[in-house]
Amino acid sequence: MGDAGSGIRNRKGGITEEQKWELYIPSGVKAENELFNGFGRRELWQSIAGSLFGGTVAAVIWLCSGNVVFTVVAVLTGIFGSVMMCTKDQNNQSVVDQVGNMLRFARSQQIYPYRALDEWDA
């Protein structure tokens, strides 16, 4: 016979109080479908926006220099760079997410002024 704290079923075949409150949190479960590991629909749209920005920079390079090689390198760098920066790692964070967290932290309140009061005064 096991006691109630051992996680074994009780004598009547039911579950114990400890088992009722036990929480199972699976790891590695994704909330949405992914095209490949760490890259879903949201990341696809982010990388498309980054690729369009890279294409705009490449167009400016082509208009200024007229060099096709630099333009092609700029376009490919924009595409590959945006995909790499939007792909999430095993901690479910991408470079874009991390930069957003850093900016949000920098804008948040950093100084918490307070007045120390005598706790024994009534």
Side-chain angles (χ1 to χ4, degrees):
M1 281 191 233
D3 59 48
S6 67
I8 301 173
R9 292 190 177 272
N10 64 16
R11 281 186 248 178
K12 296 178 183 175
I15 60 172
T16 63
E17 189 68 26
E18 182 180 313
Q19 287 174 329
K20 186 190 302 183
W21 293 104
E22 192 174 292
L23 176 64
Y24 173 71
I25 301 175
S27 63
V29 177
K30 304 293 183 179
E32 57 188 46
N33 291 335
E34 296 181 336
L35 301 173
F36 57 88
N37 195 16
F39 196 84
R41 271 198 184 144
R42 179 175 174 255
E43 292 80 24
L44 177 65
W45 288 112
Q46 287 175 340
S47 65
I48 288 173
S51 298
L52 290 175
F53 178 75
T56 305
V57 170
V60 170
I61 289 173
W62 183 72
L63 289 174
C64 292
S65 70
N67 192 339
V68 177
V69 175
F70 286 145
T71 304
V72 170
V73 168
V75 167
L76 293 177
T77 303
I79 293 170
F80 292 130
S82 64
V83 170
M84 286 174 52
M85 289 192 314
C86 293
T87 302
K88 295 186 176 193
D89 60 1
Q90 68 264 12
N91 296 324
N92 205 24
Q93 288 282 318
S94 66
V95 174
V96 174
D97 294 336
Q98 189 65 29
V99 169
N101 290 339
M102 290 168 59
L103 291 174
R104 188 171 48 249
F105 177 77
R107 287 185 303 202
S108 68
Q109 183 177 359
Q110 303 293 319
I111 299 172
Y112 299 95
Y114 68 94
R115 278 189 310 178
L117 300 175
D118 187 13
E119 62 186 82
W120 300 109
D121 284 341

